[in-house]
Amino acid sequence: MFYIGCHVSSAGGYTAAATHADALGGSTFALFTRNPRGGSVKPLDEADMAAFNAFCRAHEMGPMVAHAPYTLNPCGAKDNVRDFAFRAFSEDLARLEYVPGNYYNFHPGSHVGQGIPAGIELICGLLNRVLWPEMHTTVLLETMAGKGSEVGGRFEDLRAIIDGVEHTEHLGVCMDTCHIWDGGYDIEHDLDGVLTEFDRVVGLDRLKAVHLNNSMNDRGSHKDRHARIAEGKLSLDAIRRIINHPALRDLPFILETPQEQDAGYAVEIAMLREMRED
């Protein structure tokens, strides 16, 4: 099964989001658990969650890759920033227990001058507070472009976070193709080598999802500017190799490409289905 989809709005609830993704030709999808710029979460609608579970089973949808708000920064320098990260993380994981078996993806954060080791220590501290043995959601660390003071721009950052967390059975990685390209990993000419390096440092068994994006920038730019699938620095041959690679092909692929309308996502999903090899 080729699990391909995109970000859809959660404003109408989880079932509406899944229905929207299906209408675009998707077999998986991502949504923000709340406003991506932060804020409070809507009241829990258990009936919607139950309907969502039924819809996904009936339509054979792949795992949902829920996304934490961009403002969630576990390693911020200010107490109020870290307090929001803990509150949002805790609330979101509690809600996702109503839709078991899905993913919760987050940006590891920016250390804002404290240094990467201090940032990693704070991220581990948060994860050790919010993860528990019996939970049914896998939390995903997203690979980052290494912009500014971001943590997660190197595979070694992710390894250090994993090593500092107790309940690592609930921890995985989401690989963003724009981010790792901008971070310096050559997925255009040496995808096998990049995945071998990821396996050596982190372990391919930790890789649970892919954010499939092209990049506006040259490799190693550390800028994190997404491009549409056919319009960036990565060739379509490179994209084809990514979606068909034996280590990646069974993972959910989520598009985060800049689109003016949803029709753009539908076009890219259809194009990628054509590129998929049996």
Side-chain angles (χ1 to χ4, degrees):
M1 181 71 172
F2 183 27
Y3 293 121
I4 179 69
C6 61
H7 260 279
V8 292
S9 172
S10 60
Y14 280 44
T15 308
T19 303
H20 188 183
D22 182 65
L24 294 174
S27 49
T28 184
F29 63 97
L31 53 75
F32 283 101
T33 53
R34 63 186 70 209
N35 187 307
R37 298 301 170 189
S40 59
V41 68
K42 291 182 177 180
L44 179 67
D45 186 341
E46 293 188 33
D48 177 51
M49 298 297 211
F52 167 85
N53 289 330
F55 181 91
C56 290
R57 286 193 299 269
H59 292 79
E60 299 183 330
M61 300 291 281
M64 171 184 67
V65 186
H67 204 303
Y70 292 134
T71 48
L72 189 153
N73 185 7
C75 57
K78 297 180 179 179
D79 290 344
N80 66 311
V81 172
R82 296 195 303 273
D83 289 345
F84 170 75
F86 171 71
R87 176 170 59 83
F89 223 113
S90 301
E91 291 173 351
D92 289 348
L93 290 183
R95 295 163 72 87
L96 287 171
E97 285 299 290
Y98 289 85
V99 289
N102 291 294
Y103 297 133
Y104 182 67
N105 179 77
F106 79 107
H107 294 178
S110 295
H111 62 74
V112 288
Q114 301 173 95
I116 284 182
I120 288 173
E121 183 177 354
L122 288 169
I123 295 164
C124 293
L126 173 79
L127 291 171
N128 282 324
R129 292 174 69 192
V130 300
L131 303 183
W132 71 96
E134 299 83 9
M135 63 187 290
H136 297 92
T137 299
T138 300
V139 173
L140 304 184
L141 300 159
E142 184 170 339
T143 59
M144 304 306 295
K147 177 180 63 178
S149 62
E150 280 181 343
V151 178
R154 305 299 298 171
F155 296 157
E156 287 78 6
D157 293 356
L158 306 181
R159 178 75 260 171
I161 295 169
I162 293 167
D163 287 345
V165 174
E166 180 180 359
H167 295 297
T168 57
E169 69 273 19
H170 302 305
L171 206 56
V173 173
C174 175
M175 180 178 286
D176 187 298
T177 53
C178 169
H179 292 176
I180 63 171
W181 170 259
D182 281 23
Y185 293 97
D186 192 357
I187 55 174
E188 171 73 42
H189 303 103
D190 190 21
L191 177 62
D192 283 340
V194 172
L195 292 176
T196 297
E197 178 70 0
F198 182 90
D199 191 34
R200 182 187 70 80
V201 176
V202 180
L204 281 169
D205 59 320
R206 294 282 180 188
L207 189 54
K208 303 298 183 182
V210 176
H211 281 172
L212 187 64
N213 306 300
N214 214 318
S215 173
M216 296 182 183
N217 300 108
D218 292 329
R219 180 169 66 90
S221 66
H222 304 292
K223 290 185 178 179
D224 183 12
R225 297 183 65 199
H226 295 197
R228 295 174 185 174
I229 290 299
E231 297 179 5
K233 296 291 184 176
L234 294 170
S235 68
L236 283 179
D237 282 342
I239 298 295
R240 185 188 304 274
R241 287 192 291 272
I242 289 167
I243 66 172
N244 289 293
H245 195 283
L248 305 175
R249 59 180 289 119
D250 294 331
L251 302 177
F253 290 88
I254 303 295
L255 293 164
E256 295 180 318
T257 52
Q259 303 291 344
E260 295 179 1
Q261 298 179 350
D262 285 344
Y265 279 131
V267 168
E268 287 191 338
I269 290 170
M271 177 180 66
L272 290 162
R273 288 194 183 282
E274 288 292 323
M275 295 167 64
R276 178 75 167 195
E277 299 168 1
D278 294 334

